[in-house]
Amino acid sequence: MTSTELPSVDTGIFARIDLGVLGVDDDGRPSLTVHAGPRTVLLSPEESRRALYGPGRDAALGAAVWRQAVTQARREPPGGDGSAARLLVVWLALPGLYRNLHRVLRLWPSIDRADLEAEAVLEVLAVLDSADPDSPDTGRRLVKGAVNRMWAYARRVTREIPVADIAACAEARNSPLAAETQPRSPEGWEVHITPPPRPEGLYATLRFVEQRPRQDGGHSAARLSDLVARARRHEEADLIGTLVLRPAGALR
């Protein structure tokens, strides 16, 4: 796929970012006014990408593209509505991520591609928040951070076993009674989510997992409380909400 083609059927996060940058009219597309030595050039998104990844690319021009893109993105107010500059930085990083994205998916086909892409995008944004626009390796740090996070995420989730019946898991772990004699709540389980008092509210994927059994045949000592955790955008980000799991009708 060339940089000017839009994905036709892919609805993943990377494809939506493509659409957000390229799927608008010419007046709405972000551009970069780049100063490279004595030259000052106005680059479209496609021209900016070619400067970074195209054949015969100019290292000085590529460094200038990253410098200007990161500078513009860092000028956007945190939490503001304007996101075009930050979106452009993520879009410029995508070609550096595809090879490792596909390697991870070939090694672990069960991993959800959307989750993997989300981890990469979050890392690009996290690195961007502290990036130095004048550093010559800013672009490399953005891409490398996202690649490392994809691999770390893949290795972490492949050590997890999805729990199909969270109620049965909780009963087995929390009750001294045998599983067959443990009374069940006919009403099932409730998940209570408390978002922080911010206008953006809460947006996160909820995943309940149980660690794989140890090689000696035992299980980890984690209890239900360990399966219910705080939801974050990424490890270093601000808390975006808390969730609690309890039997339906239980005392609060």
Side-chain angles (χ1 to χ4, degrees):
M1 185 176 72
T2 66
S3 61
T4 57
E5 292 176 338
L6 290 178
S8 56
V9 295
D10 190 356
T11 58
I13 296 171
F14 285 6
R16 293 202 296 271
I17 291 171
D18 263 334
L19 191 63
V21 173
L22 301 180
V24 296
D25 56 42
D26 291 341
D27 292 337
R29 288 190 178 189
S31 61
L32 293 176
T33 301
V34 173
H35 306 280
R39 296 179 294 165
T40 299
V41 292
L42 179 65
L43 301 178
S44 68
E46 296 93 334
E47 291 168 335
S48 297
R49 256 196 185 178
R50 282 196 291 272
L52 296 174
Y53 304 102
R57 54 188 175 273
D58 182 337
L61 181 59
V65 166
W66 280 122
R67 181 168 58 249
Q68 186 61 25
V70 171
T71 296
Q72 290 182 187
R74 294 291 303 275
R75 287 174 182 164
E76 289 187 342
D81 293 334
S83 60
R86 292 172 70 83
L87 185 66
L88 179 62
V89 169
V90 175
W91 184 80
L92 290 175
L94 294 187
L97 306 180
Y98 280 112
R99 177 186 297 179
N100 280 274
L101 173 73
H102 293 300
R103 284 182 62 195
V104 171
L105 293 174
R106 283 196 300 271
L107 283 171
W108 295 292
S110 62
I111 292 180
D112 190 324
R113 174 171 174 162
D115 288 344
L116 204 59
E117 291 183 357
E119 291 291 319
V121 170
L122 288 175
E123 186 63 20
V124 171
L125 294 173
V127 175
L128 174 61
D129 287 340
S130 60
D132 177 6
D134 295 321
S135 172
D137 67 343
T138 291
R140 184 187 63 82
R141 288 185 60 240
L142 291 167
V143 171
K144 183 178 180 180
V147 166
N148 289 345
R149 180 155 173 169
M150 283 194 294
W151 282 101
Y153 172 80
R155 294 186 178 103
R156 185 173 74 250
V157 299
T158 52
R159 293 194 297 267
E160 300 170 347
I161 300 176
V163 177
D165 187 346
I166 190 66
C169 171
E171 290 171 357
R173 289 182 176 276
N174 294 336
S175 174
L177 299 178
E180 59 272 15
T181 62
Q182 172 69 9
R184 284 180 175 269
S185 167
E187 302 175 11
W189 291 78
E190 299 174 346
V191 175
H192 297 267
I193 303 174
T194 306
R198 296 204 299 266
E200 63 267 29
L202 176 69
Y203 185 86
T205 299
L206 305 183
R207 184 193 301 274
F208 296 94
V209 297
E210 181 180 11
Q211 295 298 319
R212 290 185 183 275
R214 297 196 306 265
Q215 291 183 351
D216 60 8
H219 290 272
S220 65
R223 298 180 63 82
L224 180 62
S225 59
D226 299 312
L227 302 179
V228 181
R230 295 189 298 176
R232 296 177 181 271
R233 283 183 64 239
H234 52 77
E235 285 82 350
E236 295 80 22
D238 294 336
L239 180 70
I240 64 170
T242 356
L243 57 91
V244 177
L245 180 69
R246 63 168 64 92
L251 294 177
R252 303 183 180 182

